[in-house]
Amino acid sequence: MTSSTPAQSDGAQQTSASEVQPRTDAPNPYLIEPHHEPSAARLGVQEIPVDECWRLLESVGLGRLAIVAADGRPDVFPMNFLVYDGSVVIRTAPGGKLQALHSKPAVAFEVDGSDVWRHWSVVIRGDIVRMDADELIEASGALELFSWSPTAKHNFLRLKPDSISGRRFRKRGPTAAGEVEREATGAGEDEQARLHDEKPSPIPHYAPLE
């Protein structure tokens, strides 16, 4: 029995994969203009003036000290601090951190916080020096500086800034979006208090269907 080959329809021709021609109308992906992200300013990121950076530093008491450790690797320590005469004062215990600061005094110190609508961050860069004069230690208020860590800390250090910078940016998320919207529409604290004190509308009740 001889098998028969189905007849091709009029004008139809079979084409092999090697004969398929590439599209010439598709855009070259290497020539497409890259997508430009919106600038930081358009996203609500604001540079904080220096005087306000100091005011924000004075409003908190905990920061993060970034140093170069004795082994040459970076390290970060949470530190309680206070602001005195254009500098940051901290106290620490003897150990590797103090030894590393003696040989590599260049550090960075970061503090952050938030208000109702925005987060903020302030970074100080400079050299840290040991405070040895009793008069300076007493005048700075370092003796009353409270540390969260229970270990005894009788070494007082002072960070003299070479630079200070800060940024503020809007909170993100559904709750923060609502807060930003209230700020934009002028719904301030008085309006929020009024809405808080306002009694809710009663839920209507209807007779059951018979």
Side-chain angles (χ1 to χ4, degrees):
M1 181 175 181
T2 304
S3 62
S4 60
T5 302
Q8 296 181 351
S9 59
D10 295 340
Q13 296 182 354
Q14 291 183 344
T15 305
S16 64
S18 60
E19 295 176 344
V20 176
Q21 299 297 322
R23 291 182 57 187
T24 58
D25 57 340
N28 188 333
Y30 298 101
L31 299 179
I32 298 176
E33 288 290 332
H35 176 68
H36 295 286
E37 297 290 339
S39 64
R42 292 197 62 181
L43 292 174
V45 179
Q46 300 175 347
E47 298 293 330
I48 303 176
V50 172
D51 57 344
E52 189 175 357
C53 285
W54 285 111
R55 182 183 64 79
L56 291 170
L57 285 170
E58 293 174 345
S59 69
V60 296
L62 182 69
R64 298 163 185 83
L65 179 66
I67 71 171
V68 178
D71 59 0
R73 298 171 63 85
D75 209 344
V76 178
F77 299 89
M79 303 291 294
N80 295 103
F81 74 97
L82 59 82
V83 174
Y84 169 72
D85 194 24
S87 62
V88 170
V89 175
I90 62 176
R91 59 190 303 174
T92 185
K97 176 167 74 270
L98 193 61
Q99 295 174 1
L101 291 172
H102 178 73
S103 59
K104 300 179 179 67
V107 301
F109 191 73
E110 192 273 344
V111 179
D112 54 66
S114 61
D115 53 29
V116 178
W117 293 289
R118 294 179 176 88
H119 299 290
W120 58 265
S121 171
V122 174
V123 177
I124 299 176
R125 296 176 178 86
D127 289 345
I128 202 162
V129 297
R130 186 167 181 170
M131 301 168 63
D132 293 321
D134 293 339
E135 296 81 2
L136 179 59
I137 293 173
E138 185 175 354
S140 68
L143 293 174
E144 286 74 38
L145 177 57
F146 176 77
S147 174
W148 290 2
S149 173
T151 57
K153 295 175 172 56
H154 301 302
N155 297 276
F156 303 95
L157 308 175
R158 186 179 184 185
L159 170 56
K160 297 182 177 181
D162 294 329
S163 67
I164 178 170
S165 60
R167 297 198 307 166
R168 180 182 283 114
F169 41 94
R170 293 177 179 175
K171 291 182 178 179
R172 302 182 65 182
T175 302
E179 292 172 345
V180 172
E181 182 179 357
R182 284 195 297 272
E183 180 188 31
T185 56
E189 295 181 358
D190 294 340
E191 176 66 12
Q192 295 178 33
R194 185 190 67 80
L195 294 174
H196 180 272
D197 296 336
E198 191 176 80
K199 293 182 179 180
S201 300
I203 299 176
H205 295 273
Y206 300 97
L209 296 176
E210 295 181 355

PDB file of all heavy atoms in Angstrom, residues 96-110:
ATOM      1  N   GLY A  96      39.430  47.936  71.599  1.00  0.00           N
ATOM      2  CA  GLY A  96      39.842  48.024  70.199  1.00  0.00           C
ATOM      3  C   GLY A  96      39.383  49.283  69.506  1.00  0.00           C
ATOM      4  O   GLY A  96      40.090  49.828  68.654  1.00  0.00           O
ATOM      5  N   LYS A  97      38.166  49.749  69.847  1.00  0.00           N
ATOM      6  CA  LYS A  97      37.655  50.961  69.195  1.00  0.00           C
ATOM      7  C   LYS A  97      38.525  52.164  69.507  1.00  0.00           C
ATOM      8  O   LYS A  97      38.886  52.939  68.618  1.00  0.00           O
ATOM      9  CB  LYS A  97      36.208  51.206  69.647  1.00  0.00           C
ATOM     10  CG  LYS A  97      35.626  52.495  69.111  1.00  0.00           C
ATOM     11  CD  LYS A  97      34.134  52.557  69.309  1.00  0.00           C
ATOM     12  CE  LYS A  97      33.721  52.808  70.754  1.00  0.00           C
ATOM     13  NZ  LYS A  97      33.525  51.582  71.548  1.00  0.00           N
ATOM     14  N   LEU A  98      38.898  52.320  70.756  1.00  0.00           N
ATOM     15  CA  LEU A  98      39.724  53.448  71.165  1.00  0.00           C
ATOM     16  C   LEU A  98      41.112  53.368  70.534  1.00  0.00           C
ATOM     17  O   LEU A  98      41.677  54.379  70.094  1.00  0.00           O
ATOM     18  CB  LEU A  98      39.826  53.487  72.686  1.00  0.00           C
ATOM     19  CG  LEU A  98      40.389  54.766  73.305  1.00  0.00           C
ATOM     20  CD1 LEU A  98      39.510  55.955  72.965  1.00  0.00           C
ATOM     21  CD2 LEU A  98      40.510  54.613  74.826  1.00  0.00           C
ATOM     22  N   GLN A  99      41.664  52.162  70.456  1.00  0.00           N
ATOM     23  CA  GLN A  99      42.975  51.993  69.822  1.00  0.00           C
ATOM     24  C   GLN A  99      42.918  52.327  68.340  1.00  0.00           C
ATOM     25  O   GLN A  99      43.827  52.956  67.795  1.00  0.00           O
ATOM     26  CB  GLN A  99      43.462  50.561  70.037  1.00  0.00           C
ATOM     27  CG  GLN A  99      43.738  50.202  71.494  1.00  0.00           C
ATOM     28  CD  GLN A  99      44.082  48.739  71.676  1.00  0.00           C
ATOM     29  OE1 GLN A  99      44.145  47.973  70.708  1.00  0.00           O
ATOM     30  NE2 GLN A  99      44.296  48.328  72.916  1.00  0.00           N
ATOM     31  N   ALA A 100      41.830  51.886  67.673  1.00  0.00           N
ATOM     32  CA  ALA A 100      41.700  52.174  66.244  1.00  0.00           C
ATOM     33  C   ALA A 100      41.561  53.671  65.995  1.00  0.00           C
ATOM     34  O   ALA A 100      42.135  54.209  65.043  1.00  0.00           O
ATOM     35  CB  ALA A 100      40.497  51.424  65.677  1.00  0.00           C
ATOM     36  N   LEU A 101      40.824  54.366  66.852  1.00  0.00           N
ATOM     37  CA  LEU A 101      40.650  55.805  66.688  1.00  0.00           C
ATOM     38  C   LEU A 101      41.949  56.566  66.926  1.00  0.00           C
ATOM     39  O   LEU A 101      42.177  57.632  66.341  1.00  0.00           O
ATOM     40  CB  LEU A 101      39.563  56.309  67.641  1.00  0.00           C
ATOM     41  CG  LEU A 101      38.138  55.862  67.322  1.00  0.00           C
ATOM     42  CD1 LEU A 101      37.180  56.246  68.439  1.00  0.00           C
ATOM     43  CD2 LEU A 101      37.672  56.456  65.996  1.00  0.00           C
ATOM     44  N   HIS A 102      42.799  56.029  67.768  1.00  0.00           N
ATOM     45  CA  HIS A 102      44.085  56.675  68.026  1.00  0.00           C
ATOM     46  C   HIS A 102      44.969  56.643  66.780  1.00  0.00           C
ATOM     47  O   HIS A 102      45.662  57.625  66.475  1.00  0.00           O
ATOM     48  CB  HIS A 102      44.789  55.985  69.188  1.00  0.00           C
ATOM     49  CG  HIS A 102      46.145  56.562  69.487  1.00  0.00           C
ATOM     50  ND1 HIS A 102      46.314  57.794  70.081  1.00  0.00           N
ATOM     51  CD2 HIS A 102      47.404  56.059  69.260  1.00  0.00           C
ATOM     52  CE1 HIS A 102      47.601  58.049  70.218  1.00  0.00           C
ATOM     53  NE2 HIS A 102      48.287  57.008  69.724  1.00  0.00           N
ATOM     54  N   SER A 103      44.936  55.524  66.045  1.00  0.00           N
ATOM     55  CA  SER A 103      45.783  55.395  64.856  1.00  0.00           C
ATOM     56  C   SER A 103      45.101  55.901  63.593  1.00  0.00           C
ATOM     57  O   SER A 103      45.775  56.331  62.656  1.00  0.00           O
ATOM     58  CB  SER A 103      46.202  53.942  64.664  1.00  0.00           C
ATOM     59  OG  SER A 103      45.058  53.100  64.524  1.00  0.00           O
ATOM     60  N   LYS A 104      43.768  55.856  63.554  1.00  0.00           N
ATOM     61  CA  LYS A 104      43.013  56.297  62.372  1.00  0.00           C
ATOM     62  C   LYS A 104      41.864  57.192  62.842  1.00  0.00           C
ATOM     63  O   LYS A 104      40.723  56.725  62.987  1.00  0.00           O
ATOM     64  CB  LYS A 104      42.474  55.095  61.586  1.00  0.00           C
ATOM     65  CG  LYS A 104      43.549  54.146  61.066  1.00  0.00           C
ATOM     66  CD  LYS A 104      42.920  52.987  60.322  1.00  0.00           C
ATOM     67  CE  LYS A 104      43.974  52.046  59.772  1.00  0.00           C
ATOM     68  NZ  LYS A 104      44.708  51.356  60.870  1.00  0.00           N
ATOM     69  N   PRO A 105      42.133  58.472  63.090  1.00  0.00           N
ATOM     70  CA  PRO A 105      41.113  59.343  63.691  1.00  0.00           C
ATOM     71  C   PRO A 105      40.024  59.819  62.732  1.00  0.00           C
ATOM     72  O   PRO A 105      39.030  60.385  63.187  1.00  0.00           O
ATOM     73  CB  PRO A 105      41.939  60.528  64.197  1.00  0.00           C
ATOM     74  CG  PRO A 105      43.126  60.578  63.294  1.00  0.00           C
ATOM     75  CD  PRO A 105      43.436  59.161  62.943  1.00  0.00           C
ATOM     76  N   ALA A 106      40.181  59.604  61.429  1.00  0.00           N
ATOM     77  CA  ALA A 106      39.161  60.043  60.474  1.00  0.00           C
ATOM     78  C   ALA A 106      37.935  59.144  60.582  1.00  0.00           C
ATOM     79  O   ALA A 106      38.036  57.924  60.433  1.00  0.00           O
ATOM     80  CB  ALA A 106      39.713  60.028  59.053  1.00  0.00           C
ATOM     81  N   VAL A 107      36.769  59.748  60.837  1.00  0.00           N
ATOM     82  CA  VAL A 107      35.543  58.975  61.054  1.00  0.00           C
ATOM     83  C   VAL A 107      34.379  59.656  60.347  1.00  0.00           C
ATOM     84  O   VAL A 107      34.484  60.782  59.845  1.00  0.00           O
ATOM     85  CB  VAL A 107      35.224  58.850  62.561  1.00  0.00           C
ATOM     86  CG1 VAL A 107      36.360  58.163  63.288  1.00  0.00           C
ATOM     87  CG2 VAL A 107      34.939  60.222  63.179  1.00  0.00           C
ATOM     88  N   ALA A 108      33.249  58.954  60.340  1.00  0.00           N
ATOM     89  CA  ALA A 108      31.960  59.512  59.928  1.00  0.00           C
ATOM     90  C   ALA A 108      30.967  59.216  61.037  1.00  0.00           C
ATOM     91  O   ALA A 108      31.042  58.167  61.697  1.00  0.00           O
ATOM     92  CB  ALA A 108      31.490  58.915  58.607  1.00  0.00           C
ATOM     93  N   PHE A 109      30.056  60.135  61.242  1.00  0.00           N
ATOM     94  CA  PHE A 109      29.062  59.996  62.301  1.00  0.00           C
ATOM     95  C   PHE A 109      27.698  60.311  61.701  1.00  0.00           C
ATOM     96  O   PHE A 109      27.497  61.393  61.112  1.00  0.00           O
ATOM     97  CB  PHE A 109      29.378  60.953  63.451  1.00  0.00           C
ATOM     98  CG  PHE A 109      28.576  60.693  64.696  1.00  0.00           C
ATOM     99  CD1 PHE A 109      28.838  59.592  65.488  1.00  0.00           C
ATOM    100  CD2 PHE A 109      27.562  61.556  65.084  1.00  0.00           C
ATOM    101  CE1 PHE A 109      28.109  59.345  66.645  1.00  0.00           C
ATOM    102  CE2 PHE A 109      26.829  61.322  66.233  1.00  0.00           C
ATOM    103  CZ  PHE A 109      27.106  60.221  67.014  1.00  0.00           C
ATOM    104  N   GLU A 110      26.757  59.359  61.806  1.00  0.00           N
ATOM    105  CA  GLU A 110      25.429  59.511  61.192  1.00  0.00           C
ATOM    106  C   GLU A 110      24.352  59.503  62.262  1.00  0.00           C
ATOM    107  O   GLU A 110      24.381  58.696  63.193  1.00  0.00           O
ATOM    108  CB  GLU A 110      25.185  58.392  60.188  1.00  0.00           C
ATOM    109  CG  GLU A 110      23.971  58.603  59.284  1.00  0.00           C
ATOM    110  CD  GLU A 110      22.662  58.086  59.883  1.00  0.00           C
ATOM    111  OE1 GLU A 110      22.730  57.296  60.855  1.00  0.00           O
ATOM    112  OE2 GLU A 110      21.597  58.472  59.387  1.00  0.00           O
TER     113      GLU A 110
END
